[in-house]
Amino acid sequence: MLKLLSRGIEKIPHLKAFLEEELSLYREPKRIEAVVGWGHKETAREARALAKRLAVPYVALEDGFIRSLGLGVNGAPPLSISVDPVGCYYDATEPSLIEKVLAEPQSLDEKLLQRARHAMEILRRERLSKYNVSPDVENAYLSSDTRAILSSPEPRLLLLDQCAGDASLTLGLVPGDVALRMYRRARELYPHHRLILKVHPDVLAGKRQGLLYEAFKSENLLHSIHVCGEDVSVMSFVESFPVVFTASSQSGFEALLHGCTMHTFGLPFYAGYGLTVDELAREAVDSVIRLGERDPDSTQAAVDARERQVLSVIRRRAAIADVSLEKLFAAVYFKLCRYVNPVTGKRTYLEDILSLLSLQKKINAANRGGCVVYGVRRWKRPILSAFLACQGEPASKVTFTSKPDRALRDCALSGATLVQWASKRDRVLEGRARNLGIATLNIEDGFLRSRGLGCNHVKPFSLVCDQGGIYYDPASGSDLIAILNALPQRADLALLRLRAASLRAEILRRGLTKYNVGVTGNAVEDLKHALPQDRPVVLVPGQVEDDASVLSAGGLIQSNAALLKAVRERCPDAFIIYKPHPDVLALNRRGGKVSAGVSGKTEASRVPLYDLEVRDMAINALYDLVSEVHTLTSQSGFEALLRGLPVTVYGRPFYAGWGLTTDMQSFEERKSVLTLDDLVAGVLILYPRYYDWVAKCFMRPEDALYRFEHLEDMPSDPLFVRLVRSLYALRRSLYYRFQSLRGGKE
């Protein structure tokens, strides 16, 4: 049995996934075989004592080195945990799993080291760290003095502060007067360098006290040190410093990844291998030499106990040969730390978490500055609050108003972005905002939206946020058009194509569409046998006739009847299946009832506009039964392309004009010829945002596919939303029952 004594540990989301190995190894139900605790914290004292008393292993847990977007002290759940059955990584007084791995060269093969080099490059490029909520240097609210220092050619040295009383200080053998030692050594070695102190994130959050800051303050040294107390990403900050000093901070290792000369004044996990300038070890050696010169016979007895410990640790680590930065990285990030995807709740790899955190960091940065949302319905407000929220930025608020003048005033006063729902946006207000220099953002449902209709108040898993216009309006110059035009020149195009191909395959395997509604099963089989074998079968998806995409991109065709007429004229011999839009069938939108009618100028040439109307069947099932799809602007055309079907478009939808469809109109603004995977990459990966209502975090489209199939943990909607949805359902039921009593007549 694996024994836990801490309720705090028990509350960690997906704890069983993090401890899969231990739970499999220690399965005896009636005997404690190992004890789990949180590192060397005071709360783990009882757990350590129990393990010692029972003579069983103690497994030390700690936050992982790539932990989360937000701060742990603010309640952000961990995506990574370090699990050490040997020691604890910040406890230099005893060996840890890191040292054990480094001492076994066979455990770090070339394949793993190649992964390490690739992951290190991602960390540098994306500026990812333990916490990732702080803005990068170029987007941070830095004082004029800090910006001047960073842009100045004068030499500078960074002092990384830590939280006073942290266990890594005591167990890293950091001396009590470390601040003074650090200051004097900096002045000795780098007399002309400007000293900058970077305050720890937990101190900025008001949760802890800074070790160096308080010491420099008490010694009256702050006048000669520039204190950076602004909230800024450490990984982006250290880029500007060739020399970095720290006691035992993890950020010191991240500075090593940037090639900084790293001076340590304690013994953090990365010291003692020849990768750092170990000031504490130098001081201990100097002390021994001085004592030896005075009294060679009693040197060992006279050496300070802490210095003896320091020398012991240095000797122990120096005995491990050939430790490169890649090997140390691999031991820490691949062997010590474990990772869990917050959406699936399953174990995953570092690279997967880096991809997810990179996305979350970019969206968080895009939301920084706040938003004023104008004119949206009340039920959508919690949804937009989630999609537009910014962690770690108290001033970045999402506010709502139905008054245009107030919206402009609030944006102007706070520097916020004006947000509108694209299909309902006030163009005049948008123009006024741009004239005032206010940024604007248009929002609309994404392409993999939900299981259920938006008009029935079902929460979306994806939205698109467009600064330029909106994807369905070809005249607006949307961000999607810009993304797709630039796609062939992207440096990461090969990787994007691989992701897109895999994503498309999963969408087809799971049979997903935008709304994922409608029946399947026997009805599909019956229809399949009823279709003619000697005629091409064409699907024409109906649309909401007053929908913004029809009005803005439909051209001369503005109704389902006109579309069906055009399709019949182009395909006179085809068997045409017409499927009304689900919003129309739900009685929530206007779609216009279309009679089968006839098309043709002469009696002999007259044929019906369509041969079969299909109402309740899932459109995904219909894709498998037809030979081609004809549409005006419907997203169904894009879904048909994903399934390899020929698509003819009569309007100007977002997926036409790229060389993949038969187009009845021209697309001068679309400059690139794309592959299907290119289109998928732009439309489903780069353009939308995806949000998981269960894990309460942004996710990638790959994660969204998992959530579509696992909705059992979805939080319940507010009572108001459930009541409205029930009333809509009652209205539909009464309407269709009335129609059946009338024999189906309108």
Side-chain angles (χ1 to χ4, degrees):
M1 175 174 59
L2 189 65
K3 183 67 174 177
L4 296 176
L5 299 180
S6 168
R7 290 188 177 181
I9 294 178
E10 289 177 351
K11 292 178 181 179
I12 294 174
H14 317 302
L15 179 63
K16 289 183 178 180
F18 280 118
L19 296 178
E20 279 179 358
E21 292 87 339
E22 287 72 23
L23 291 172
S24 174
L25 180 63
Y26 304 116
R27 296 185 296 174
E28 173 59 49
K30 297 182 179 180
R31 180 167 61 89
I32 297 176
E33 300 171 280
V35 182
V36 173
W38 197 258
H40 275 279
K41 295 291 193 297
E42 284 296 316
T43 55
R45 182 179 296 178
E46 184 181 352
R48 283 183 167 274
L50 177 62
K52 184 177 182 179
R53 186 168 68 251
L54 297 178
V56 297
Y58 173 76
V59 181
L61 306 186
E62 274 287 348
D63 284 329
F65 288 61
I66 296 291
R67 186 194 184 280
S68 52
L69 177 68
L71 300 179
V73 292
N74 287 337
L79 307 181
S80 171
I81 287 179
S82 71
V83 183
D84 196 332
V86 178
C88 186
Y89 74 86
Y90 55 75
D91 182 2
T93 65
E94 60 183 10
S96 69
L97 180 62
I98 297 173
E99 294 181 38
K100 182 175 184 293
V101 170
L102 290 173
E104 301 170 350
Q106 69 276 10
S107 65
L108 299 174
D109 57 25
E110 182 54 36
K111 184 177 180 181
L112 195 67
L113 294 181
Q114 182 59 37
R115 281 184 61 200
R117 287 187 282 271
H118 177 62
M120 288 162 63
E121 173 56 30
I122 294 174
L123 284 173
R124 286 189 292 264
R125 184 181 70 243
E126 302 296 332
R127 296 161 158 181
L128 296 174
S129 182
K130 182 176 183 177
Y131 305 116
N132 300 280
V133 73
S134 300
D136 290 338
V137 166
E138 55 271 22
N139 298 317
Y141 301 112
L142 299 180
S143 69
S144 57
D145 287 345
T146 300
R147 288 218 177 269
I149 291 170
L150 295 180
S151 60
S152 169
E154 70 173 324
R156 50 187 172 269
L157 183 154
L158 179 63
L159 306 168
L160 289 171
D161 204 355
Q162 294 178 249
C163 295
D166 193 78
S168 69
L169 297 172
T170 305
L171 297 173
L173 303 179
V174 176
D177 62 345
V178 64
L180 284 176
R181 296 187 187 211
M182 201 178 289
Y183 181 82
R184 290 166 183 162
R185 188 63 171 166
R187 286 303 180 212
E188 176 187 346
L189 295 178
Y190 305 96
H192 304 297
H193 281 55
R194 183 74 177 269
L195 303 187
I196 293 90
L197 175 67
K198 176 68 181 71
V199 180
H200 191 277
D202 287 357
V203 177
L204 291 176
K207 306 293 184 179
R208 308 280 292 276
Q209 276 196 328
L211 170 73
L212 300 182
Y213 178 82
E214 294 299 328
F216 290 149
K217 183 179 178 181
S218 65
E219 295 292 336
N220 201 27
L221 292 173
L222 287 179
H223 67 278
S224 61
I225 300 172
H226 176 76
V227 178
C228 178
E230 297 95 337
D231 186 22
V232 60
S233 157
V234 172
M235 278 295 273
S236 69
F237 200 66
V238 297
E239 292 175 1
S240 301
F241 295 88
V243 183
V244 179
F245 278 31
T246 191
S248 60
S249 171
Q250 179 190 318
S251 296
F253 182 71
E254 294 164 349
L256 278 178
L257 300 181
H258 277 291
C260 302
T261 299
M262 189 68 237
H263 292 252
T264 63
F265 289 77
L267 287 176
F269 66 91
Y270 50 87
Y273 299 111
L275 303 173
T276 54
V277 180
D278 300 321
E279 300 290 352
L280 195 62
R282 178 193 58 80
E283 291 175 3
V285 170
D286 288 348
S287 177
V288 171
I289 293 173
R290 288 194 302 271
L291 287 169
E293 291 173 347
R294 292 202 305 267
D295 187 0
D297 297 329
S298 60
T299 297
Q300 185 61 35
V303 173
D304 179 84
R306 184 180 55 78
E307 291 176 335
R308 287 201 299 272
Q309 281 186 302
V310 169
L311 293 171
S312 174
V313 174
I314 292 296
R315 284 194 294 268
R316 189 180 76 223
R317 292 182 180 177
I320 304 174
D322 192 28
V323 177
S324 64
L325 188 58
E326 300 91 66
K327 287 183 178 179
L328 183 56
F329 183 94
V332 173
Y333 285 78
F334 295 146
K335 297 295 187 177
L336 175 68
C337 295
R338 301 175 184 177
Y339 307 90
V340 168
N341 184 302
V343 179
T344 66
K346 298 177 181 177
R347 283 279 287 278
T348 188
Y349 301 100
L350 168 64
E351 294 85 346
D352 187 49
I353 294 300
L354 293 182
S355 170
L356 179 61
L357 272 178
S358 176
L359 172 73
Q360 292 179 347
K361 180 179 175 180
K362 287 173 182 174
I363 295 177
N364 205 58
N367 287 347
R368 189 168 282 113
C371 298
V372 177
V373 184
Y374 169 73
V376 300
R377 294 180 179 177
R378 188 169 297 275
W379 75 272
K380 287 183 177 180
R381 292 185 178 187
I383 293 170
L384 295 187
S385 292
F387 274 87
L388 297 173
C390 174
Q391 290 193 41
E393 194 81 20
S396 296
K397 297 178 181 178
V398 181
T399 59
F400 299 86
T401 182
S402 57
K403 298 178 180 179
D405 290 337
R406 179 177 176 181
L408 293 179
R409 183 198 66 197
D410 290 351
C411 287
L413 289 175
S414 64
T417 298
L418 176 66
V419 177
Q420 298 189 76
W421 196 265
S423 58
K424 305 292 184 183
R425 73 186 187 272
D426 183 330
R427 303 292 184 111
V428 173
L429 179 63
E430 187 175 60
R432 290 173 61 194
R434 290 177 177 171
N435 289 337
L436 293 170
I438 295 171
T440 62
L441 191 70
N442 296 315
I443 292 186
E444 192 55 81
D445 284 333
F447 308 105
L448 288 169
R449 185 194 185 279
S450 53
R451 282 201 177 276
L453 303 177
C455 62
N456 282 340
H457 303 78
V458 176
K459 281 193 182 79
F461 288 115
S462 71
L463 295 177
V464 298
C465 300
D466 199 311
Q467 294 176 315
I470 196 64
Y471 70 88
Y472 56 71
D473 183 357
S476 69
S478 73
D479 292 348
L480 178 58
I481 299 300
I483 289 170
L484 293 174
N485 274 330
L487 199 69
Q489 286 74 49
R490 287 183 65 107
D492 60 346
L493 181 59
L495 178 61
L496 277 173
R497 283 174 170 169
L498 288 174
R499 279 187 69 189
S502 176
L503 183 65
R504 181 163 61 92
E506 278 299 295
I507 289 172
L508 300 189
R509 186 182 71 81
R510 299 170 190 248
L512 294 175
T513 59
K514 182 175 183 178
Y515 295 117
N516 304 287
V517 294
V519 298
T520 56
N522 294 335
V524 178
E525 287 299 315
D526 293 342
L527 177 58
K528 180 178 180 180
H529 294 302
L531 293 176
Q533 302 298 311
D534 56 348
R535 297 168 64 186
V537 180
V538 172
L539 172 63
V540 179
Q543 295 188 239
V544 176
E545 293 183 349
D546 61 356
D547 189 75
S549 70
V550 174
L551 299 176
S552 60
L556 296 177
I557 297 177
Q558 292 286 300
S559 70
N560 290 313
L563 172 62
L564 286 164
K565 183 178 180 181
V567 175
R568 177 56 78 191
E569 289 175 354
R570 185 170 176 82
C571 308
D573 299 322
F575 185 90
I576 296 176
I577 299 176
Y578 170 59
K579 186 180 190 312
H581 194 279
D583 282 358
V584 176
L585 295 175
L587 306 181
N588 295 326
R589 301 289 297 277
R590 186 172 68 85
K593 180 173 174 59
V594 181
S595 170
V598 293
S599 176
K601 294 182 180 179
T602 66
E603 189 69 31
S605 66
R606 287 189 176 183
V607 291
L609 292 178
Y610 60 85
D611 299 278
L612 177 66
E613 180 181 85
V614 175
R615 298 172 69 83
D616 295 329
M617 192 173 296
I619 195 166
N620 178 63
L622 291 176
Y623 293 137
D624 295 331
L625 304 181
V626 303
S627 51
E628 54 187 290
V629 172
H630 287 235
T631 185
L632 185 61
T633 62
S634 172
Q635 184 185 313
S636 302
F638 174 68
E639 296 170 354
L641 284 178
L642 298 186
R643 290 153 175 84
L645 288 170
V647 177
T648 299
V649 295
Y650 296 77
R652 303 183 70 221
F654 64 91
Y655 51 85
W658 307 106
L660 298 168
T661 54
T662 300
D663 304 326
M664 298 292 102
Q665 297 193 43
S666 58
F667 297 85
E668 292 80 6
E669 78 282 5
R670 304 181 190 187
K671 311 296 183 183
S672 298
V673 176
L674 304 178
T675 68
L676 181 55
D677 288 334
D678 292 342
L679 184 66
V680 171
V683 172
L684 296 183
I685 297 176
L686 299 176
Y687 186 48
R689 296 180 183 182
Y690 298 87
Y691 186 83
D692 182 19
W693 297 100
V694 180
K696 292 182 172 55
C697 66
F698 287 104
M699 58 182 172
R700 299 157 300 177
E702 294 89 344
D703 305 312
L705 299 190
Y706 175 89
R707 183 54 65 206
F708 271 107
E709 284 196 348
H710 299 81
L711 298 176
E712 60 274 6
D713 295 326
M714 279 285 286
S716 60
D717 292 309
L719 178 61
F720 166 75
V721 173
R722 285 179 280 151
L723 179 60
V724 171
R725 191 180 298 141
S726 298
L727 291 175
Y728 276 33
L730 178 61
R731 184 181 69 167
R732 283 194 301 275
S733 175
L734 293 175
Y735 173 82
Y736 286 118
R737 181 168 181 82
F738 179 69
Q739 290 299 314
S740 68
L741 293 174
R742 294 185 60 200
K745 296 180 182 181
E746 288 289 343

